[in-house]
Amino acid sequence: MANNLELQGGTYHVRLAIPADVQKAFGGRRILSRSLMTGVYKEALDRRLPILATWKAQIKIAREGKPLPEDWQDAVHSAVAELESLKRNRKLKIIGEQVQPLPVSEEEVQTFKSRNSALTALIEKIVEHERDSGVDGDLRIQEVLHGVFKKAIRREMTDKHRFSTDERQELDALINNPSGYTPRSPITKARLTEFRTFRENRNVAAKTIDQQQSKLEKLSKFLTQTGRPLDFDAVSAWLDSFSLSSKTLTQYLLAGNVFWKWAMKHDIRWRIDYKGKANPFEDHDLPKVRGKDRADAQRKDFALQDLSRLHAAAKSEKLHALADLILLGVYTGARIEELCQLKTDNVIDIDGVQAFDITDSKTRAGIRVVPVHPNIKNIVKRLIDDSEDGYLIATNSRSKYGIRSDPMVKAFGRLKASLGFGPDRVFHSIRKTTITQLVRASVQGTLIAELVGHEVGQTTFDVYSQGSSMSQKYEAISKLPVLNPVRTPAVK
């Protein structure tokens, strides 16, 4: 059989002999064979390679065992701890105590029996031998069963994985004396994987999942390095280890809170281990910024002449897309990502009024229609005509979350810094300027909220009202003042 190929009825099959010492792991088979779905020899040569590589990897695992996962100690400890709880509960039940049984489904029982037929037969013999020995016999059965199950855990681990001498000793210590083991962190990789899957299935934004998982991984690392249990004091010490603002620390607590509530509801082992314990992520007193310090820390809006300078500087630096984006921000009050997500077909006509149909926003109220200000109609036409990818604003974003504004945020940051603006002014400050100018133009508050995508906070307007007409919106947006041109920006 040259090159592991065999021609059968005009179709090539790839075949590989299974070494005798691992045939048991393959159900007693001696040969692995698969059709390559081709009668062309050269194609068969290529198609066989990944299949052979997979088979050889499986043979290696069957012979040597899988490498140990990073958190194998926690998995073994959790399994043995569950056995300890099961033994205790069964003994209490035997002597007449009321206990809450561990939830074990019939499917799990049958799966165990099918995978451990010899062990199941041994258990049945033990039970039969002690059946008529009264309470003492029943208690002895639980002790013997406990020992049998611990041996089963050890055998399953050593059959599946490669263990060094030291690792085997650690495994034995974990099984024989689980109380002497301190888990590195209850926030294990396995739990984080389950948590992630749960949230992905509920359509939580990928960026939110990644950010919160990163924070939880940091906490897990802290608990491992310090040997602390997961409690209020440990979380407090963890927060103190950062030099971060209260706002950012609140996000860390939020990540922990979401994970804790998920685990208490969906993780059986977690519910047992933390039953009756307080949520360690609640009631933390974070530093509060007050008075002048709070005012200084808040983001400020731009003056109109500042926006003229920024726009002129962007054009001078040949940052044409950023210059257009600044004007779109000034005359719409839209968020930067809302603007960067606008496509050419988001420019629509309603009742004779050209408008931006904003369909991608961070809030429900953000889904809205904003008339095109008279001063940017020519710019919008040019952007539509010049678009090569269907978007009004061209960016070179490589964000895995589909966020198109990242390069523009960075470019704007460099530009405003070159003009002497500090961290209290960002692109979002333009939105504040627009709202301020609408207020000063005596535009009604509810109409301003409609234009910039804010909820009014009153049921009458947020639920029952159909909103302002396009002519009313156009009249309001047209009241925004036109920026005075600046010919030579003072770039530092």
Side-chain angles (χ1 to χ4, degrees):
M1 184 172 55
N3 298 317
N4 297 91
L5 293 177
E6 184 176 278
L7 190 62
Q8 300 178 14
T11 300
Y12 280 103
H13 287 66
V14 57
R15 294 166 61 84
L16 181 66
I18 303 174
D21 62 318
V22 295
Q23 288 177 5
K24 183 179 178 181
F26 288 84
R29 297 169 64 188
R30 296 182 180 181
I31 296 290
L32 295 171
S33 178
R34 183 183 298 179
S35 170
L36 295 174
M37 308 296 291
T38 183
V40 180
Y41 181 70
K42 288 186 177 180
E43 287 184 2
L45 283 175
D46 291 335
R47 294 184 183 184
R48 73 197 166 106
L49 295 177
I51 299 172
L52 285 172
T54 300
W55 285 345
K56 289 177 181 178
Q58 291 172 348
I59 289 171
K60 182 177 181 182
I61 289 173
R63 179 173 287 151
E64 300 176 0
K66 297 179 182 177
L68 280 167
E70 186 175 334
D71 56 350
W72 69 271
Q73 297 97 331
D74 294 331
V76 171
H77 179 264
S78 179
V80 176
E82 197 157 333
L83 275 182
E84 294 284 350
S85 297
L86 186 61
K87 180 185 74 171
R88 179 178 178 276
N89 284 359
R90 287 187 180 278
K91 282 188 169 184
L92 288 172
K93 188 175 181 180
I94 288 169
I95 63 176
E97 296 286 342
Q98 293 293 324
V99 295
Q100 181 70 31
L102 287 174
V104 179
S105 67
E106 181 61 28
E107 182 181 355
E108 290 175 305
V109 172
Q110 295 303 321
T111 299
F112 177 84
K113 287 183 176 180
S114 64
R115 292 179 179 176
N116 300 272
S117 55
L119 182 59
T120 301
L122 176 60
I123 292 171
E124 290 173 352
K125 286 182 180 180
I126 294 170
V127 173
E128 183 65 28
H129 182 268
E130 298 285 358
R131 185 181 300 277
D132 300 322
S133 301
V135 172
D136 288 342
D138 290 341
L139 294 175
R140 284 196 298 272
I141 287 175
Q142 298 309 315
E143 286 294 342
V144 174
L145 290 179
H146 185 64
V148 170
F149 284 124
K150 287 202 298 186
K151 289 180 180 178
I153 291 174
R154 187 185 191 282
R155 188 183 67 189
E156 184 175 359
M157 290 296 296
T158 54
D159 284 351
K160 287 184 177 180
H161 301 287
R162 298 195 298 266
F163 278 83
S164 66
T165 302
D166 290 342
E167 287 169 341
R168 283 182 182 273
Q169 291 175 353
E170 187 176 6
L171 174 63
D172 290 340
L174 275 170
I175 292 174
N176 296 326
N177 183 28
S179 62
Y181 173 71
T182 302
R184 295 174 298 170
S185 167
I187 306 174
T188 62
K189 286 188 176 181
R191 280 195 169 110
L192 287 175
T193 298
E194 291 180 13
F195 179 53
R196 183 183 192 90
T197 300
F198 174 85
R199 305 193 78 204
E200 287 175 343
N201 290 339
R202 279 151 183 78
N203 297 319
V204 177
K207 185 176 182 180
T208 299
I209 293 174
D210 285 349
Q211 289 176 337
Q212 293 189 342
Q213 178 160 329
S214 174
K215 293 174 174 62
L216 291 167
E217 287 171 349
K218 290 177 182 177
L219 173 57
S220 184
K221 184 178 180 180
F222 175 84
L223 296 175
T224 298
Q225 291 176 341
T226 61
R228 286 173 171 267
L230 179 57
D231 57 20
F232 180 91
D233 292 337
V235 173
S236 181
W238 175 57
L239 295 176
D240 289 342
S241 69
F242 299 107
S243 298
L244 299 171
S245 68
S246 295
K247 182 178 179 180
T248 302
L249 292 177
T250 300
Q251 295 302 313
Y252 277 69
L253 288 173
L254 174 62
N257 236 314
V258 173
F259 177 81
W260 176 273
K261 291 177 181 178
W262 165 83
M264 290 298 287
K265 187 174 183 180
H266 297 283
D267 190 303
I268 295 172
R269 184 71 247 170
W270 189 282
R271 289 206 302 268
I272 294 170
D273 291 342
Y274 290 95
K275 182 180 180 180
K277 295 185 179 180
N279 184 337
F281 300 98
E282 292 182 345
D283 300 324
H284 288 268
D285 294 322
L286 300 178
K288 290 182 170 58
V289 182
R290 300 181 182 277
K292 182 178 182 299
D293 290 336
R294 181 174 183 178
D296 291 343
Q298 289 181 339
R299 289 173 177 170
K300 299 179 174 63
D301 57 357
F302 288 106
L304 291 176
Q305 58 267 32
D306 294 334
L307 293 174
S308 296
R309 291 175 60 214
L310 285 163
H311 178 252
K315 292 184 68 174
S316 175
E317 295 291 327
K318 301 190 185 309
L319 301 173
H320 301 300
L322 181 59
D324 292 335
L325 189 62
I326 290 171
L327 289 183
L328 291 182
V330 171
Y331 293 115
T332 63
R335 302 172 179 92
I336 188 169
E337 183 62 19
E338 291 174 345
L339 295 171
C340 288
Q341 290 290 348
L342 285 175
K343 294 185 176 181
T344 55
D345 55 9
N346 289 125
V347 181
I348 60 176
D349 188 283
I350 299 179
D351 298 333
V353 177
Q354 188 182 47
F356 297 112
D357 184 17
I358 299 178
T359 59
D360 193 329
S361 178
K362 63 184 291 187
T363 65
R364 183 183 65 176
I367 308 302
R368 62 199 188 278
V369 177
V370 181
V372 175
H373 189 281
N375 202 49
I376 56 172
K377 286 189 174 181
N378 290 336
I379 295 173
V380 172
K381 182 179 185 306
R382 169 172 55 78
L383 291 175
I384 293 173
D385 293 340
D386 294 347
S387 176
E388 296 180 355
D389 59 1
Y391 288 96
L392 289 184
I393 299 295
T395 79
N396 59 354
S397 173
R398 295 179 176 83
S399 169
K400 65 179 181 179
Y401 307 111
I403 297 174
R404 301 189 73 252
S405 60
D406 282 348
M408 291 301 184
V409 170
K410 294 174 183 176
F412 184 82
R414 292 189 293 268
L415 181 72
K416 59 102 175 181
S418 72
L419 294 177
F421 296 105
D424 56 347
R425 287 181 174 85
V426 294
F427 192 93
H428 201 76
S429 300
I430 298 177
R431 180 172 166 85
K432 298 181 69 143
T433 302
T434 302
I435 293 172
T436 298
Q437 294 303 316
L438 289 171
V439 170
R440 292 177 179 178
S442 300
V443 177
Q444 189 177 7
T446 54
L447 182 49
I448 294 175
E450 287 183 58
L451 291 171
V452 300
H454 283 162
E455 287 189 357
V456 177
Q458 299 177 28
T459 303
T460 303
F461 295 104
D462 290 336
V463 177
Y464 293 104
S465 173
Q466 294 298 312
S468 306
S469 68
M470 282 304 299
S471 61
Q472 288 175 310
K473 291 181 180 180
Y474 183 74
E475 181 183 355
I477 208 76
S478 299
K479 291 182 178 180
L480 287 170
V482 176
L483 297 183
N484 295 319
V486 175
R487 295 182 179 179
T488 307
V491 179
K492 295 183 180 179

